[in-house]
Amino acid sequence: MTGLSAELNAALGRLADAEHLLVALDFDGTLAPFVDNPDDSRAIPEAAEAVARLLDVSHTTVAFVSGRAVDSLQRASQAPDGILLVGSHGAEYRFDGVDTHPPLGDADLARVATLSVALEEVSAAHPGTWIEAKPAGFALHTRHLDGHAENAANDAARAAAEAAGVPAKVRDGKNVIEFSVLSVTKGDAIRHLRDYTGATAVLYAGDDVTDEDAFAVLGDGDLSLKCGEGDSVARYRVATPADVADVLARLAELRAATGR
Ligand SMILES: [Mg+2]
């Protein structure tokens, strides 16, 4: 724990005094080193241990906030019970085992309407398919189709969404293709996590460009920690996931010492 700067140590000390602390963490590149196959990515043991210690402290919530789909995040992070998961850069929440997603803004609602028209046309042109309305988009179901017809319907749906100019996240499932219009960022996720947990202070650590959105919504009483190189608005910076683990371990130690 001696590798932390005096300034960072002091900031952690202030954070440890928070009434309710939210520790929100990116996963890949922040807790886990990059590996060739994303399925093999795991948090380094020191990071996993520090997270477990933070989870044990009362009035302290830990969240993982990743670009991964939430299922993939849960698998890779092997997240213990009690960790709040945010996937797809803020478009998927899994809190206490319940999957939800953020509310839609006006721009998102307009995209849903446009997408609806485009996909209804596709469904009409591909008999046997049907559209299911999802809170943030639509699913085109194809399970009554043979493989060739299914591929044709999927291709047509993708093309129609693109032609409609709707930037949608596309997910291929088994006999279903889903389009979601959510245009959220990790910053939206941090705002939601703050409200959901009632946190009075937030630590966010991340390594990538999309983490900048999260750093940007932090305030004076919060702590932003960039891992690795590259431009960042984060106040503090460390080099590697091992350093992030050190920071988290130190925070757990300070937080536990407050008697919580
Ligand atoms: Mg990352």
Side-chain angles (χ1 to χ4, degrees):
M1 253 38 86
T2 52
L4 306 184
S5 73
E7 201 199 351
L8 178 51
N9 244 314
L12 290 170
R14 289 192 294 276
L15 203 65
D17 277 335
E19 200 173 308
H20 191 117
L21 177 62
L22 168 66
V23 180
L25 307 163
D26 172 51
F27 183 71
D28 294 275
T30 301
L31 301 180
F34 287 106
V35 291
D36 287 342
N37 182 352
D39 290 342
D40 296 336
S41 181
R42 294 291 179 270
I44 60 171
E46 295 81 1
E49 192 189 319
V51 164
R53 287 179 61 192
L54 284 165
L55 275 177
D56 272 348
V57 186
S58 63
H59 305 289
T60 306
T61 307
V62 181
F64 292 159
V65 182
S66 174
R68 287 174 181 260
V70 77
D71 285 333
S72 165
L73 174 61
Q74 178 140 39
R75 270 198 309 276
S77 68
Q78 304 178 317
D81 285 350
I83 294 196
L84 307 180
L85 298 178
V86 177
S88 303
H89 302 290
E92 296 180 285
Y93 303 141
R94 182 168 293 168
F95 297 171
D96 305 312
V98 178
D99 287 357
T100 56
H101 66 81
L104 301 185
D106 288 347
D108 290 328
L109 289 170
R111 290 190 189 99
V112 167
T114 305
L115 193 60
S116 172
V117 172
L119 292 180
E120 288 293 351
E121 282 176 12
V122 171
S123 183
H126 292 78
T129 65
W130 72 98
I131 302 279
E132 176 193 5
K134 295 275 190 171
F138 300 93
L140 178 73
H141 290 273
T142 53
R143 70 168 164 269
H144 295 329
L145 275 55
D146 65 25
H148 178 75
E150 180 178 9
N151 288 340
N154 284 352
D155 290 348
R158 282 176 187 277
E162 206 177 315
V166 178
K169 188 175 287 295
V170 185
R171 279 195 198 89
D172 275 311
K174 196 169 188 236
N175 304 130
V176 64
I177 183 166
E178 290 192 35
F179 297 83
S180 166
V181 303
L182 281 171
S183 57
V184 292
T185 69
K186 287 188 173 185
D188 299 308
I190 295 299
R191 283 199 197 91
H192 181 62
L193 283 166
R194 201 194 289 270
D195 288 347
Y196 182 84
T197 61
T200 55
V202 178
L203 177 148
Y204 185 78
D207 72 299
D208 210 340
V209 177
T210 55
D211 297 307
E212 296 299 315
D213 295 318
F215 295 142
V217 301
L218 297 186
D220 287 343
D222 304 322
L223 197 157
S224 48
L225 184 68
K226 163 86 173 176
C227 180
E229 296 179 349
D231 288 344
S232 181
V233 299
R235 176 89 186 269
Y236 300 94
R237 185 190 297 267
V238 292
T240 67
D243 298 325
V244 174
D246 275 353
V247 169
L248 298 178
R250 178 69 180 146
L251 181 59
E253 184 182 25
L254 289 165
R255 185 89 176 138
T258 64
R260 283 190 169 80

